[in-house]
Amino acid sequence: MEKAIERQRVLLQHLRPSSSSSVHGDASSLSASICAAGDSAAYQRSGSFGDDIVIVAAYRTALCKSKRGGFKDTYPDDLLAPVLRALIDKTKINPSEVGDIVVGTVLAPGSQRASECRMAAFYAGFPETVPIRTVNRQCSSGLQAVADVAAAIKAGFYDIGIGAGLESMTVNPMAWEGSVNPKVKSFAQAQDCLLPMGVTSENVAHRFGVTRQEQDQAAVESHRKAAAATAAGRFKDEIIPVATKIVDPKTGDEKPVTIAVDDGIRPSATLSDLAKLKPVFKKDGCTTAGNSSQVSDGAGAVLLMKRSLAMEKGLPILGVFRTFAAVGVDPAIMGVGPAVAIPAAVKAAGLELDDIDLFEINEAFASQFVYCQNKLGLDPEKVNVNGGAMAMGHPLGATGARCVATLLHEMKRRGKDCRFGVISMCIGTGMGAAAVLERGDSVDELSNARKVGTNSLLSKDAR
């Protein structure tokens, strides 16, 4: 950026009128500065190039079916440790340089899970000097962890951080502990915070006219795309194999295994098969086990730092963390969250929806996924191109970190034709979250503007 400003200064010297033909006051009004003309000039480029918060590595475990899958006998800390270790091994960073590890996690008791995460950091090789904490914003917790780390680095709290996610829905199933405050009956929206998530799915389908067939078709597509991605090896770069054990429930015999493939994907899923499933949450409803996200176990981790530091260390830049937005919506239809959060995050980046090349939207339920995609008018060819949670699973606290890994590795594969990506999910009790990421090698210090084409305006802001 400094070079660009210097070039402006030199050009302005040639443009200044001579003192004999002009008033000095007029000439002094010309000055070199960073262009702030809006999206078509630098899409909200408000800081220097080296201060970009970048992602240099993002990995996840396979996602496995709760209580029945490959991780049913794996301790939660043994899920998190391998992805944390992978960040060290694959980037060769000194673990003592990490300023903080933030782990998104939802269902486990807070103090116990915080201790398990600290234990996992030690297993992974981090010294006692590296702190760790947890964060819980329900289904967006993994993404919130990444956003928290990005914000902390931007604020100068530390130079390198890790945003991660962890959930074992085998060990910690969804349940309410203790009694409910009777005051909740006096506040309708507070009462709606207690609705089962499947009921909110039925509410979305009923209120916005999402049919059972549309939902089942979305589920079939999710499985089809996830199966194709697995067969093509598109998840291999993001999945870290986990050495663990499977215990025979009848004999108690332990079998050592290495889990490296998502085990909830059903390549043979068909509309006719899904149509046979009965509604789960409402007698005459349309939300079934087949068109809902799978209950799963898994973990993910993302390594962030400033671009200047990544360049100094010679680390490849997988992506740039541009913006994050969390919004509130009606708890009774919590699934609409992405339809509100995505425009907020995209606008904060100085972009429009048409500028986004890929979307990774969590498929909590087909009803809300279909609604959000239709509401925003998204091209289906850009959305969940490798399948989603209906096929792979939704380990609540880990999903955000999983989505970061999946999105960035797909953007890397697509290269120059894929610049911006969005991650989003709905959140229990009525919220939505979204983040805008940019492919790591799509921008450099002196050529960071989008092509405008035939538009003669300086910026869309001038329209």
Side-chain angles (χ1 to χ4, degrees), residues 97-113:
E97 292 185 87
V98 174
D100 201 4
I101 302 172
V102 182
V103 184
T105 186
V106 179
L107 297 176
S111 181
Q112 177 178 326
R113 181 47 48 85

Side-chain angles (χ1 to χ4, degrees), residues 170-220:
T170 295
V171 175
N172 306 110
M174 297 180 70
W176 183 277
E177 294 185 9
S179 59
V180 177
N181 188 340
K183 183 190 295 186
V184 74
K185 297 178 180 179
S186 302
F187 297 84
Q189 287 190 307
Q191 196 165 1
D192 286 342
C193 291
L194 300 176
L195 289 174
M197 294 298 96
V199 173
T200 72
S201 169
E202 293 287 2
N203 291 344
V204 169
H206 176 73
R207 189 175 303 188
F208 302 108
V210 183
T211 68
R212 168 71 182 268
Q213 184 170 353
E214 286 179 298
Q215 294 174 59
D216 287 349
Q217 183 62 51
V220 169

